[in-house]
Amino acid sequence: MRAERPDLGILVVSMHDESQYAIRALRAGASGYLMKADAAARVVEGVRKILEGGTYLSPMLSSSLIFQIIQPPRPGDTPMEKPVAGTGSPKLIGGEH
């Protein structure tokens, strides 16, 4: 959809509350990610933010993502993929390299 309509804002509403799903959706072109449990209270806020040209993540998910970024990896953690600057290729972070 993003290739045909780059101006289209996409808000994903999902039953999955794990950050990995949000990361995948955003990388695939979504403008926001909202957990289904938060949808009734937050969908209008998310749509407005996207219509203003921004990106929206539900507050609980935002906190979870920030926590994952600032915490050092623990043994057994599942690695996250992060694009390597200038290559467009993913690099595993938070695990074995």
Side-chain angles (χ1 to χ4, degrees):
M1 285 171 59
R2 181 66 71 192
E4 292 180 27
R5 295 281 313 271
D7 60 323
L8 182 66
I10 301 168
L11 177 61
V12 174
V13 179
S14 175
M15 67 180 197
H16 300 290
D17 63 355
E18 296 180 33
S19 59
Q20 67 185 10
Y21 294 104
I23 292 168
R24 289 179 187 162
L26 294 168
R27 286 188 178 151
S31 303
Y33 190 92
L34 183 61
M35 294 181 294
K36 190 175 179 181
D38 294 335
R42 304 274 184 195
V43 72
V44 173
E45 180 181 345
V47 169
R48 284 185 178 145
K49 181 74 171 179
I50 291 169
L51 287 173
E52 293 170 355
T55 301
Y56 184 81
L57 293 173
S58 55
M60 188 174 184
L61 186 58
S62 294
S63 296
S64 173
L65 285 171
I66 291 169
F67 183 76
Q68 288 179 41
I69 291 168
I70 63 173
Q71 288 292 30
R74 296 174 298 193
D77 278 352
T78 303
M80 292 179 13
E81 288 187 348
K82 181 179 180 181
V84 177
T87 67
S89 300
K91 176 182 178 185
L92 294 178
I93 60 171
E96 301 271 331
H97 299 293

